[in-house]
Amino acid sequence: MQASPAIAAVPAGAGEDAAIVIEDVDKHFGDVKALRGLSARIHYGRLTGLVGPDGAGKTTLMRILTGLLVPNAGHVTLAGYDVVKDNDAIHVASGYMPQRFGLYEDLSVMENMRLYAQLRGMDADRNADLFAELLDFTRLGPFTKRLAGKLSGGMKQKLGLACALMARPKVLLLDEPGVGVDPVSRQDLWRMVQALTDEGMAVVWSTAYLDEAERCESVLLLNQGKLLFDGPPQELTAQLEGRSFRLEDVGAERRAVLTQALDLPSVSDGVIQGAGVRVVLREGAQAEQLQALSDQARVELAQVPARFEDAFIDLLGGGPGGTSTLAERLPPVELGSDIAVSCRNLTKRFGEFTATDKVSFEVQKGEIFGLLGPNGAGKSTTFKMLCGLMKPTAGEAHVVGHDLRRATGAAKSRLGTWRRSFRSTACSRCSRTWNSRPASTDWKATPGASALPR
């Protein structure tokens, strides 16, 4: 493992003193209350997760901590400095990686690092050793001449992290660093953050992904600007002990069974998990209604360990019911076949580079099907071909009965798309997934994808 970059001296007694102190902070934008009476402490040598759904106030709090926003009320100190009165000192004591890539895509990796050093008031020519240390730590050494715009999502995050560490900060603020990053690169980010906290740095990791939150030593759970929980994630999970169940081996009827379960007054939340249905009971509820549903479906009901996600959703008041108002308004989808999408040896090459190689799969009517793989695996290329936005080099694809080689317009008229620039997602709710590796034919069907977080 690469050694972490040397950080600024952490104050004596760092194990006792807080790196960040937040006291009764309010922030509003017109009539919108982004933060409401927030108070918390974040300590050195610890990874703290700032957790909550979109719109919870995570980014607003992050910008206050960096001195980019001024609270309407309350008081915040970072590394002993007031974020309003000592704004210049805050920028030296902290490193900040924003939610969106904030570096110059038309500059190379090294050019971005040199520019960032100069903006920090550092002499780039005299810091070659620091650059080498950061490049080794982030594993970007072989890519110093590559343009930032040509980097994968994970490599862009590593470059952002290298720049955030340039001034050897005491506190590192990461605003949703895992968004759009493949699992391999995300593991690298975790490795680097762990090395930094081991050296005594305070790291705040903002996220809406609950599997990320569960890996933090402590979490601040926000919703609608309010702090709902402050402590280790295991403590919140323990509050749901005995309330999580799974209807086993439901099979093809799992969606209907989930709908019935979510409509039960005793159920707080539920989700399809592989071939089964996972259900969380409301506080104080008994399992009689769930057992009756299990008997009706002729499947086994088993109590399972609670997850942080179960506790999170329950704390927010539970998930949605089993009836979708939107789905009720939509007419049934009529297809001439049970196969909605099919691919046979679908291949796309860009010059000598093969983006997808002989990909074959089928998607049944009514099925949620996931494409799963790291950056560069060919997921977006496959999607673009299926949407008629890109012609395959070889192979064939049919969407709702239309051959994309001849009827791309007709196929487009039957498709709805959601671009990844808004939010990437895991495939744990998918009925099946296809796993791929870059430039290979290793596509493998995985029913249920139950090993992944929701």
Side-chain angles (χ1 to χ4, degrees), residues 172-436:
L172 181 62
L173 306 170
L174 308 175
D175 194 358
E176 302 206 21
V179 172
V181 177
D182 70 81
V184 176
S185 296
R186 193 176 300 178
Q187 289 294 335
D188 265 349
L189 287 174
W190 282 109
R191 171 190 60 81
M192 290 183 280
V193 166
Q194 185 63 59
L196 294 170
T197 56
D198 287 347
E199 293 290 333
M201 185 182 291
V203 179
V204 181
W205 182 301
S206 169
T207 182
Y209 295 156
L210 300 183
D211 61 314
E212 292 185 350
E214 200 164 12
R215 296 180 66 168
C216 297
E217 295 170 76
S218 182
V219 296
L220 302 177
L221 200 160
L222 302 181
N223 187 44
Q224 297 180 346
K226 296 181 179 180
L227 181 63
L228 301 185
F229 178 80
D230 179 0
Q234 296 81 5
E235 288 187 6
L236 184 61
T237 304
Q239 296 178 15
L240 259 76
E241 189 67 33
R243 293 168 54 189
S244 296
F245 293 83
R246 178 181 161 98
L247 295 158
E248 303 285 4
D249 298 323
V250 181
E253 298 300 318
R254 57 191 180 278
R255 193 170 301 168
V257 170
L258 174 62
T259 298
Q260 296 177 60
L262 290 174
D263 283 336
L264 295 175
S266 60
V267 170
S268 171
D269 188 34
V271 62
I272 292 174
Q273 190 180 55
V277 174
R278 185 185 180 91
V279 178
V280 179
L281 294 179
R282 296 190 183 278
E283 186 176 7
Q286 301 300 315
E288 283 84 356
Q289 292 180 334
L290 201 55
Q291 184 62 60
L293 177 60
S294 172
D295 294 340
Q296 176 185 332
R298 298 182 180 180
V299 296
E300 179 185 353
L301 178 65
Q303 186 171 320
V304 295
R307 303 180 305 180
F308 179 73
E309 178 181 344
D310 300 336
F312 176 87
I313 298 297
D314 185 71
L315 189 63
L316 298 185
T323 303
S324 168
T325 304
L326 175 62
E328 286 185 331
R329 294 178 179 177
L330 294 175
V333 176
E334 300 294 340
L335 299 178
S337 167
D338 288 337
I339 305 298
V341 178
S342 66
C343 299
R344 291 287 180 273
N345 297 318
L346 198 61
T347 301
K348 181 63 181 179
R349 300 187 186 92
F350 298 94
E352 296 182 355
F353 173 69
T354 301
T356 60
D357 188 11
K358 298 180 181 178
V359 173
S360 299
F361 61 81
E362 290 183 343
V363 183
Q364 303 283 333
K365 182 172 65 174
E367 184 176 41
I368 302 175
F369 188 88
L371 295 180
L372 182 64
N375 294 136
K379 303 184 299 297
S380 293
T381 301
T382 301
F383 258 104
K384 289 176 181 178
M385 288 189 286
L386 293 179
C387 293
L389 302 177
M390 184 182 292
K391 289 186 177 181
T393 305
E396 61 183 55
H398 293 80
V399 176
V400 291
H402 298 288
D403 189 335
L404 291 180
R405 294 173 298 180
R406 304 180 182 88
T408 57
K412 287 179 184 178
S413 68
R414 302 292 303 277
L415 290 171
T417 61
W418 186 2
R419 295 184 60 187
R420 67 173 179 172
S421 57
F422 286 100
R423 173 76 70 177
S424 64
T425 184
C427 288
S428 54
R429 289 199 180 195
C430 302
S431 305
R432 289 187 294 139
T433 64
W434 281 80
N435 301 307
S436 73

Side-chain angles (χ1 to χ4, degrees), residues 56-79:
K58 303 186 298 297
T59 296
T60 298
L61 179 57
M62 279 286 197
R63 290 176 178 171
I64 290 175
L65 296 180
T66 59
L68 298 177
L69 284 178
V70 176
N72 297 109
H75 182 254
V76 179
T77 60
L78 184 148

Side-chain angles (χ1 to χ4, degrees), residues 54-191:
D54 293 334
K58 303 186 298 297
T59 296
T60 298
L61 179 57
M62 279 286 197
R63 290 176 178 171
I64 290 175
L65 296 180
T66 59
L68 298 177
L69 284 178
V70 176
N72 297 109
H75 182 254
V76 179
T77 60
L78 184 148
Y81 299 107
D82 187 292
V83 297
V84 177
K85 298 177 182 178
D86 305 316
N87 197 270
D88 290 342
I90 290 296
H91 295 156
V92 175
S94 65
Y96 175 52
M97 193 167 80
Q99 186 174 9
R100 295 183 180 180
F101 185 64
L103 302 176
Y104 290 90
E105 296 199 347
D106 55 349
L107 296 181
S108 70
V109 168
M110 180 55 75
E111 287 169 342
N112 267 292
M113 293 180 67
R114 291 178 61 86
L115 175 61
Y116 204 88
Q118 292 167 0
L119 292 174
R120 283 281 195 171
M122 303 166 61
D123 188 337
D125 292 329
R126 296 184 179 180
N127 281 279
D129 289 344
L130 174 61
F131 291 162
E133 190 178 2
L134 290 170
L135 289 168
D136 179 63
F137 181 62
T138 57
R139 297 178 178 171
L140 288 175
F143 310 102
T144 54
K145 296 182 179 180
R146 183 175 297 184
L147 293 179
K150 299 296 184 181
L151 298 175
S152 69
M155 293 174 71
K156 284 181 177 179
Q157 295 296 67
K158 292 177 187 179
L159 177 57
L161 180 60
C163 291
L165 294 172
M166 190 71 67
R168 307 180 187 274
K170 298 175 183 177
V171 179
L172 181 62
L173 306 170
L174 308 175
D175 194 358
E176 302 206 21
V179 172
V181 177
D182 70 81
V184 176
S185 296
R186 193 176 300 178
Q187 289 294 335
D188 265 349
L189 287 174
W190 282 109
R191 171 190 60 81

